[in-house]
Amino acid sequence: MAAPVVRPQAVLFACARNVVRSPMAAALFGHLFGRSVYVRSAGARKGETDGFAAEVLDEIGLDLGKHKPMTFEELEDWEGLNFDLIVTL
């Protein structure tokens, strides 16, 4: 008998500067799963906002305009680091 599938309750997408890959992944994941799963993104270092990521997501109707690049330390200060799944990009 197969084990039941357990969906994570909190997911973190991580990349180098939190400006393209991880915020895009978090936005797409949030779009697919809605508020049923808590999702955030962070980076090893803080980068500058990238208009490319916002334009790409805008083409499919997702808004990245409010995203502010965040480091792991900043995320820990705001929310702690209690994630069931961390995806590195």
Side-chain angles (χ1 to χ4, degrees):
M1 180 182 240
V5 175
V6 178
R7 182 183 290 186
Q9 297 299 304
V11 177
L12 173 66
F13 289 94
C15 68
R17 292 191 180 97
N18 192 224
V19 293
V20 177
R21 293 170 291 169
S22 60
M24 289 179 75
L28 289 166
F29 188 91
H31 176 71
L32 292 173
F33 292 97
R35 295 184 183 263
S36 67
V37 179
Y38 181 78
V39 62
R40 288 292 178 260
S41 67
R45 294 175 306 279
K46 192 172 192 174
E48 296 296 321
T49 302
D50 189 305
F52 170 76
E55 288 294 323
V56 169
L57 289 178
D58 186 56
E59 288 182 14
I60 59 171
L62 299 178
D63 183 18
L64 197 60
K66 295 179 183 173
H67 173 73
K68 304 286 186 240
M70 183 180 293
T71 64
F72 296 116
E73 290 80 15
E74 291 170 319
L75 181 66
E76 185 175 24
D77 289 345
W78 281 96
E79 304 178 29
L81 290 176
N82 296 317
F83 292 93
D84 302 315
L85 177 64
I86 299 174
V87 179
T88 60
L89 305 164

